[in-house]
Amino acid sequence: MPETVYDVAIIGAGPGGYSAAFRAGQLGLKTCLIEKDPLLGGTCLHVGCIPTKALLFHAEIYDHMKAAQEYGIDGLGAGKVNWKAIQDRKGKIVAKHTKGLDFLVRKNKVDRVQGFGRLTGPAKAGVFTVELEAGGKKSEIKAKNIILATGSFARMLPGLQADDRILTNIEVLSLDAIPKSMVIVGCGAVGVEFASVYRSFGAEVTLIEMLPRLVPVEDEEVSKELQRSFKKKGINCFVDTKVEKVERTKDGVAVFFTPQGQSQQRVEAEKVLVAIGRGPNTEKIGLEKVPNIKVERGFVHVNQWMETGEKGIYAIGDIVAGLPQLAHAGAMGGIVAVTRIAGKPAQPMNKNRIPGCTYCEPQIGSVGLTEAQAKEAGYQVKVGKFPFTANSKATIINNHEGFIKVVSDAKYGEILGVHIIGPVATELIAEAVAVMQLEGTVDDLMFTVHAHPTISEGMLDAFSAVEGKAINF
Ligand SMILES: Cc1cc2nc3c(=O)[nH]c(=O)nc-3n(C[C@H](O)[C@H](O)[C@H](O)COP(=O)(O)OP(=O)(O)OC[C@H]3O[C@@H](n4cnc5c(N)ncnc54)[C@H](O)[C@@H]3O)c2cc1C
């Protein structure tokens, strides 16, 4: 039998890798998808996006139940959370979508291989060799192009190891019971989402962030609004605060920290979640064998087509330098890469058009430059802001915290960024991404008909507010 030479071999089957593989199959490329774990889906499906959003949905339902009387529904009482049932449902959702991926592999005629993939060096006569290690045995896979999609791991505080009390995103997703108290170190998307979940289910939650604000990558006003809302919910928030030490106590953990300009404090809790960011899984994948690949602190540099310095080797997803670690950024990176490999017209990745969504309550959705970044970049910034208090549908659904903020350039009405905190923000942001992708202006949005009453008509008001012409505010 002649040896198979694939058009593309993809290492890692998270959302980056599997999206690349399915589109490669659709484009008629002979494709091999290499995954070390028995299941496809990566962090996102098994210990990231999907299970967290399942828990957040349950928390949201529970919050509505707590307010049942306000909605005119008597007789529900306080309700009781069946944590096991919630965990089971979360597991079923993950299992259903894992099966879906198995089906899509077959549908798109992708060869699936289980094993740990590693680069062996530059191409020889236009063909790369990937070393595959599975069950102690080594073999080889040949391909004309390679996509690295090996994802990331949760960083840990120095000297600590995850266990039943010191948790990462993995352990915190399958606790036996809802903890009475939890300290969360790190207030990016992962930290604030778990704060939201466990606070809704009744835990005492303390959030600690080293930087001066919660969700530090978001627009400053969004961070302020989230902190205000979290405080109202009874979540203790410490920003500008460094965690010095975590100790195991008789029943839990003690966290020692010093808020800027104050003396050291100590908080005890049943659990501590460490959510201080994610490092790239690139240590053992043979990058050093290919000198043309530029690597910085483990992250791989690529061009706008996701190609590394070595022609024919691409990198996508959480391992890429300078791109947000988000499932949809990885997935689109994969699509761009394989479209280029297939020689079809592709559009380059644009960092400023990747939405960031945080599914805590209130939700956050944003795209493009923050107000501060736009000013720093020298734009003549014009801002429009619309509060959800003035949106009738937000009042109907009893969720009118937050606002929509549009950052634009005064010169041509270019939309530079949109920042939303409030109801369905993670859905609303799609409109902003689409209009930015199509290079629409503030004017275009001001004359786009939005249905009434909807939360999305808040977008019309926010864009109109740039010109001081919001109808409902
Ligand atoms: C708690 C949490 C919640 C999140 N929520 C969201 C969200 O709501 N929305 C969002 O967009 N993002 C979210 N993210 C981020 C998202 O999960 C990641 O951005 C996404 O999974 C990255 O995709 P990826 O394909 O690069 O890597 P991964 O999903 O990490 O997949 C990499 C795959 O490669 C495999 N692999 C690694 N090395 C090798 C090797 N050498 N050989 C073979 N296989 C290998 C791994 O086993 C894994 O299956 C969340 C993350 C966390 C932790």
Side-chain angles (χ1 to χ4, degrees), residues 11-17 34-37 39-45 47-50 52-53 115-118 149-152 169 173 190 193-194 278 281 284-285 316-319 324-330 357 359:
I11 307 179
I34 303 167
E35 170 57 52
K36 67 177 175 53
D37 289 345
L39 302 176
L40 305 181
T43 302
C44 169
L45 179 51
V47 287
C49 326
I50 304 304
T52 49
K53 266 79 262 180
F116 190 95
R118 201 175 277 121
T150 48
S152 61
N169 63 296
L173 277 166
V190 173
E193 286 184 3
F194 281 112
R278 298 185 64 81
N281 285 329
K284 294 178 184 147
I285 59 169
I316 59 172
D318 281 9
I319 63 171
Q325 290 179 307
L326 293 167
H328 43 277
C357 288
Y359 301 75

Side-chain angles (χ1 to χ4, degrees), residues 94-160:
V94 171
K96 176 180 181 319
H97 287 273
T98 307
K99 266 197 195 150
L101 292 180
D102 295 342
F103 164 75
L104 290 170
V105 162
R106 293 192 297 274
K107 182 182 171 214
N108 291 300
K109 299 189 173 49
V110 170
D111 284 352
R112 171 182 177 176
V113 179
Q114 193 182 339
F116 190 95
R118 201 175 277 121
L119 298 171
T120 57
K124 286 186 186 135
V127 175
F128 293 98
T129 302
V130 175
E131 180 189 274
L132 186 78
E133 199 175 334
K137 285 192 189 141
K138 287 190 179 168
S139 58
E140 285 180 351
I141 285 180
K142 306 270 187 195
K144 293 179 198 158
N145 298 278
I146 293 176
I147 298 180
L148 304 170
T150 48
S152 61
F153 63 91
R155 292 193 195 276
M156 188 37 82
L157 289 166
L160 295 184

Side-chain angles (χ1 to χ4, degrees), residues 419-472:
H419 307 275
I420 310 173
I421 179 164
V424 294
T426 57
E427 302 287 342
L428 283 185
I429 197 65
E431 181 181 3
V433 181
V435 75
M436 285 171 76
Q437 180 73 5
L438 299 172
E439 298 185 355
T441 62
V442 169
D443 240 24
D444 291 326
L445 248 295
M446 283 175 71
F447 286 94
T448 301
V449 182
H450 287 70
H452 174 76
T454 57
I455 303 288
S456 67
E457 70 186 319
M459 295 291 272
L460 177 60
D461 273 318
F463 276 91
S464 305
V466 173
E467 298 299 337
K469 292 191 173 72
I471 296 294
N472 295 293

Side-chain angles (χ1 to χ4, degrees), residues 157 184-188 207-214 216 238-244 257-260 275-276:
L157 289 166
I184 299 177
V185 185
C187 299
L207 273 172
I208 305 177
E209 169 60 49
M210 200 168 76
L211 294 173
R213 52 199 177 90
L214 305 185
F238 292 91
V239 292
D240 244 331
T241 300
K242 197 162 182 265
V243 168
E244 270 113 23
F257 56 93
T258 309
Q260 182 80 260
I276 54 172

Side-chain angles (χ1 to χ4, degrees), residues 213 217-223 370-372 405 407 419:
R213 52 199 177 90
V217 298
E218 299 294 344
D219 189 274
E220 257 176 66
E221 287 192 85
V222 168
S223 297
T370 63
E371 185 178 350
K405 174 172 173 177
V407 178
H419 307 275

